[in-house]
Amino acid sequence: MSEIPNNVSDSLAANQPFVDTTRTYKTISDNLAKKYADSDFHYQQKQAVISWWEMFKAWLGRLLDGLFEFDSQEALAEAVDTLLKTVGLILLVVVIFIVVRAVIKHKGNWFFEKQEADFQLDFATSVEATEENLEQLLAQFKKEENYRFASRVLYLLTIKKLAAAGTIIYDTDKTNIDFRRQIKNTQIRSFFDHVVYVFENVWYGEKELKNTDFSEMEKSFNLLTKRLNE
């Protein structure tokens, strides 16, 4: 081992600290902790917000996994996506079918059809409406195959004929149940029940009335009229 020359000082041997004069050193401030205690320097990881759609897919995934026990999460996720796409496609087809059916049924004339029908119905239900007026409307609705409004007119004709025969006492505050209680003849009451049943199911239940169903309703009306005239 070579000896250190006498003219070279050994800082380590002399227990002197080594100082690198090629660098510049800064001192640490005493209020460093206070400086970085501001809320701007507080970093917290925000929790991800899960949407209702993601929650629904997770629930559906658990349901499918419980039924079929998939081998991997990838297979489960693919099954969930396939099921949702299939259901969505079915719903789309159903909506298109309903829209197309409505357009064909009304021939795209909802506004004019409703406006005309409402005008005729207002006339039919007015106090001035006579049996002759109602019979004219009935013939018109039957010709147009508008059995919904035809059932309304037929019901009004039934009430008018019963009142004219003295079988019931008409009052706007009375209900069909009240009118039924006034009818003493069991046959007439049976015909009346059928007319009211069809009318209420079509008018208030929004059920479609076909030609055959209306014919049965009209048959009960004719038998009721015949019985009143005996």
Side-chain angles (χ1 to χ4, degrees):
M1 180 176 179
S2 59
E3 296 182 356
I4 300 175
N6 294 330
N7 61 345
V8 176
S9 61
D10 187 353
S11 60
L12 294 177
N15 295 323
Q16 297 293 327
F18 174 77
V19 179
D20 188 353
T21 57
T22 62
R23 296 185 181 184
T24 303
Y25 296 91
K26 293 183 179 180
T27 59
I28 299 177
S29 175
D30 295 334
N31 62 345
L32 181 64
K34 182 179 180 181
K35 179 180 179 181
Y36 289 96
D38 191 87
S39 59
D40 294 338
F41 297 96
H42 291 177
Y43 302 102
Q44 295 181 351
Q45 186 175 4
K46 293 184 177 179
Q47 188 175 3
V49 179
I50 302 177
S51 66
W52 67 268
W53 178 247
E54 292 173 335
M55 293 175 62
F56 172 74
K57 290 180 67 176
W59 170 82
L60 185 59
R62 290 192 298 270
L63 180 64
L64 292 179
D65 194 31
L67 293 174
F68 304 104
E69 297 181 356
F70 289 87
D71 297 332
S72 63
Q73 290 297 319
E74 290 76 10
L76 176 60
E78 184 177 354
V80 170
D81 290 339
T82 302
L83 177 60
L84 292 175
K85 289 178 181 178
T86 303
V87 172
L89 182 61
I90 293 174
L91 291 176
L92 179 62
V93 172
V94 170
V95 170
I96 293 176
F97 171 77
I98 293 174
V99 172
V100 172
R101 183 173 180 271
V103 171
I104 294 175
K105 181 179 179 181
H106 294 274
K107 301 178 182 179
N109 296 322
W110 283 286
F111 175 76
F112 298 103
E113 181 181 74
K114 184 177 185 301
Q115 187 180 47
E116 181 181 3
D118 286 348
F119 170 78
Q120 293 168 331
L121 189 61
D122 288 341
F123 173 75
T125 54
S126 64
V127 180
E128 293 81 9
T130 62
E131 288 189 20
E132 183 180 358
N133 298 142
L134 291 173
E135 287 171 355
Q136 289 175 355
L137 279 176
L138 179 61
Q140 179 181 340
F141 287 137
K142 287 170 61 178
K143 183 179 180 180
E144 297 171 355
E145 297 185 354
N146 189 344
Y147 299 115
R148 171 177 165 80
F149 282 94
S151 68
R152 172 72 171 176
V153 175
L154 200 63
Y155 163 76
L156 293 171
L157 275 170
T158 302
I159 297 297
K160 278 188 170 292
K161 287 185 178 296
L162 288 171
T167 306
I168 65 171
I169 300 175
Y170 178 75
D171 192 307
T172 54
D173 294 330
K174 290 182 179 180
T175 64
N176 289 325
I177 296 177
D178 296 326
F179 294 142
R180 186 181 188 280
R181 288 172 181 167
Q182 295 179 30
I183 302 174
K184 304 303 180 183
N185 186 287
T186 55
Q187 282 188 329
I188 295 177
R189 188 189 307 128
S190 177
F191 299 144
F192 174 79
D193 287 342
H194 185 222
V195 171
V196 171
Y197 172 78
V198 175
F199 162 67
E200 289 185 343
N201 275 273
V202 173
W203 195 256
Y204 301 109
E206 297 291 336
K207 293 185 178 180
E208 184 179 359
L209 185 63
K210 298 180 180 179
N211 182 23
T212 53
D213 299 325
F214 179 77
S215 297
E216 291 297 319
M217 179 185 184
E218 194 171 25
K219 180 180 178 181
S220 293
F221 168 77
N222 292 332
L223 290 172
L224 181 147
T225 303
K226 181 181 178 181
R227 189 70 179 83
L228 287 174
N229 294 332
E230 290 178 356

